[in-house]
């Protein structure tokens, strides 16, 4: 018997998440993982590494609670927001019995985490305007424990209507949690639902330092929720989930000066996004969708051909499941200029080829 046969059936059949890193590529310009173009410097003491870390470092929880404007008891930290997704599924969903709902096109990890733990997935696609289909969600709530809502949504970039999120919270009260994934909320802080936490005990919010805080490599995320939910998640989290150096760096990032730096970098990225949106929008046959995160979803006449040409030229973007759409992370101004220039040149060449035929 091969070793592989020893694994759980679910694991043998699993297609893992196609992360940007896993997909590889050979480029000079990496705009495929919604990473920040800023590499900020931090200092690490390197002390006390002989001791285990604290499960939930007080200083870190206090700093994030202050940043998010919530109470200390409403915050949990984990290895990225991805671990938060996993903890929620493990804590709330009975395998082979309960389900989660998610609304494609959206972030891929909700489905993959559920599958890994043999939790059923129900999909209720977003409407044509990429908003929640509330009646369809209502029809699927039987046996559902978690409803994932991503806002700003990855990969479409739009915000989910706040009134709809509230309607969903009311519709699910007492039966299911609504998990609002706010991985990109620092690019549009006014759109947060964190102020609703006090009113809705079934609201959970996911946050991360990976995007606006430019710390994707740190692996530090947060779950904001009612203290009862935080307490449940703490029962199943690993004993030492946050490495000591991670806490040191995260606390610096969340300090007053760290927050000021992030704010400045968010403004810079937003200006680059506006530049790219305007530039691409001027090209024939190209549609740029309004985006609130550090990425834009763009529809091209022939996205496959263009994606490959960019890839071969060392500009690595992300394919999307939406027809003829590519997701472009917002990099530095130089990266945006080079990307725009190459796309403009490609599209002009292609339309000349077509005219010649
Ligand atoms: C990037 C991303 C995450 C994961 O964040 P980590 O903290 O790096 O695990 C979660 N949700 C969405 C929508 C994301 O785009």
């Amino acid at each position: 018997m091969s070793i592989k046969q020893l694994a759980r059936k679910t694991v043998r059949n699993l297609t893992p998440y196609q992360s940007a890193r896993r997909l590889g590529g050979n480029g000079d310009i990496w705009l495929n993982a919604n990473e920040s173009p800023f590499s900020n410097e931090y200092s690490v003491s390197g002390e006390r590494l002989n001791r285990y870390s604290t499960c939930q470092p007080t200083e870190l929880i206090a700093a994030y609670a202050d940043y998010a404007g919530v109470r200390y008891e409403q915050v949990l930290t984990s290895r990225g927001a991805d671990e938060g997704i996993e903890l929620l599924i493990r804590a709330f969903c009975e395998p082979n019995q309960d389900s989660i709902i998610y609304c494609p096109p959206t972030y891929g990890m909700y489905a993959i985490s559920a599958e890994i733990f043999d939790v059923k997935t129900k999909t209720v696609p977003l409407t044509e305007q990429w908003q929640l289909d509330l009646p369809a969600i209502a029809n699927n709530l039987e046996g559902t424990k978690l409803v994932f809502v991503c806002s700003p949504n990855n990969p479409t970039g739009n915000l989910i209507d706040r009134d709809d999120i509230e309607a969903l919270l009311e519709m699910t009260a007492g039966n299911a949690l609504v998990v609002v994934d706010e991985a990109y909320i620092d690019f549009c802080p006014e759109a947060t639902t964190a102020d609703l936490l006090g009113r809705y005990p079934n609201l959970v919010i996911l946050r991360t330092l990976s995007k606006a805080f430019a710390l994707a490599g740190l692996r530090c995320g947060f779950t904001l929720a009612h203290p009862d939910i935080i307490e449940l998640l703490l029962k199943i989290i690993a004993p030492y989930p946050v490495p000591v150096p991670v806490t040191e760096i995260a606390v610096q990032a969340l300090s007053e000066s760290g927050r000021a730096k992030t704010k400045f970098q968010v403004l810079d990225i937003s200006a680059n996004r506006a530049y790219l949106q305007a530039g691409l929008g001027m090209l024939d046959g190209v549609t740029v969708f309004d985006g609130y995160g550090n990425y834009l979803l763009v529809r091209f006449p022939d996205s496959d051909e263009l994606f490959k040409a960019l890839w071969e030229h060392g500009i690595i973007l992300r394919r999307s499941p939406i027809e003829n759409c590519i997701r472009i992370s917002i990099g530095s101004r130089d990266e945006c200029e080079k990307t725009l220039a190459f796309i403009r040149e490609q599209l002009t060449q292609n339309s000349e080829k077509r005219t010649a035929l």
Side-chain angles (χ1 to χ4, degrees):
M1 193 172 70
S2 104
I3 295 284
K4 286 190 173 171
Q5 295 303 314
L6 293 175
R8 282 167 55 214
K9 189 159 156 255
T10 301
V11 175
R12 279 184 269 139
N13 294 338
L14 190 77
T15 311
Y17 180 65
Q18 297 298 303
S19 71
R21 281 291 164 279
R22 216 170 222 163
L23 288 169
N26 215 333
D28 313 309
I29 298 184
W30 293 89
L31 301 178
N32 64 341
N34 293 349
E35 294 154 333
S36 172
F38 297 101
S39 169
N40 303 312
E41 280 187 26
Y42 294 95
S43 56
V44 174
S45 75
E47 284 163 19
R48 288 185 60 80
L49 290 177
N50 58 320
R51 301 294 176 191
Y52 282 114
S53 59
T54 316
C55 178
Q56 295 290 295
T58 313
E59 217 188 338
L60 178 57
I61 300 293
Y64 201 82
D66 181 61
Y67 170 70
V70 302
R71 289 189 291 127
Y72 186 95
E73 301 74 31
Q74 294 173 310
V75 181
L76 174 121
T77 185
S78 60
R79 288 165 289 201
D82 280 348
E83 191 182 21
I85 296 169
E86 196 183 290
L87 291 171
L88 286 162
I89 290 171
R90 282 167 52 211
F92 287 91
C93 300
E94 208 67 73
N96 297 307
Q97 182 180 319
D98 293 333
S99 337
I100 66 156
I101 290 179
Y102 67 98
C103 309
T106 193
Y107 187 52
M109 280 307 291
Y110 316 132
I112 290 178
S113 277
E115 278 171 36
I116 290 174
F117 295 107
D118 287 321
V119 167
K120 290 180 231 167
T121 56
K122 295 186 201 163
T123 57
V124 178
L126 295 172
T127 64
E128 264 179 50
Q129 287 75 42
W130 291 329
Q131 290 298 325
L132 298 177
D133 187 343
L134 289 173
I137 293 176
N139 285 335
N140 279 284
L141 282 179
E142 176 103 23
T144 296
K145 289 290 187 62
L146 303 172
V147 184
F148 285 91
V149 175
C150 189
S151 182
N153 187 41
N154 179 5
T156 56
N158 64 293
L159 293 171
I160 302 298
D161 280 344
R162 184 184 166 92
D163 289 349
D164 288 355
I165 293 176
E166 283 202 62
L168 181 60
L169 283 161
E170 270 155 31
M171 185 199 289
T172 51
N175 295 307
L177 305 185
V178 174
V179 185
V180 182
D181 187 339
E182 295 191 344
Y184 299 97
I185 206 70
D186 317 278
F187 295 99
C188 49
E190 63 289 348
T192 185
T193 52
D195 58 297
L196 297 177
L197 278 174
R199 263 168 49 213
Y200 298 98
N202 61 328
L203 170 61
V204 180
I205 297 169
L206 297 172
R207 296 284 192 87
T208 181
L209 298 186
S210 296
K211 309 289 162 56
F213 280 91
L215 286 169
L218 191 66
R219 309 310 301 130
C220 186
F222 300 89
T223 302
L224 314 179
H226 188 282
D228 287 352
I229 295 177
I230 302 296
E231 221 173 278
L232 285 164
L233 300 180
L234 283 172
K235 288 175 91 169
I236 61 164
I237 200 169
Y240 313 107
V242 192
V244 172
V246 169
T247 296
E248 287 185 11
I249 292 170
V251 165
Q252 289 166 51
L254 291 164
S255 69
E256 203 179 323
S257 66
R259 276 154 68 167
K261 186 183 278 180
T262 294
K263 211 171 194 176
F264 179 79
Q265 294 177 350
V266 161
L267 285 172
D268 196 277
I269 290 168
S270 303
N272 293 347
R273 184 182 66 205
Y275 163 83
L276 197 61
Q277 175 159 22
L280 289 169
M282 285 164 60
L283 304 176
D284 262 356
V286 175
T287 309
V288 190
F289 298 98
D290 282 334
Y292 289 82
N294 62 338
Y295 54 95
L296 284 171
L297 188 75
V298 188
R299 177 168 283 143
F300 294 101
D302 185 345
S303 67
D304 254 356
E305 188 185 16
L306 180 65
F307 179 87
K308 283 182 199 135
L310 283 152
W311 176 283
E312 270 147 34
H313 192 69
I315 301 176
I316 313 297
L317 308 183
R318 184 98 160 140
R319 284 195 172 94
S320 95
I322 302 151
E323 202 186 359
N324 270 322
C325 287
I326 295 177
R327 193 193 70 189
I328 309 178
S329 305
I330 308 302
S332 66
R333 181 56 72 106
D334 182 56
E335 289 170 325
C336 290
E337 281 173 7
K338 285 181 173 145
T339 303
L340 175 61
F342 185 80
I343 291 174
R344 187 188 288 128
E345 190 184 310
Q346 277 308 108
L347 294 187
T348 316
Q349 272 179 21
N350 289 350
S351 73
E352 275 164 12
K353 255 189 269 171
R354 261 174 229 120
T355 322
L357 293 173

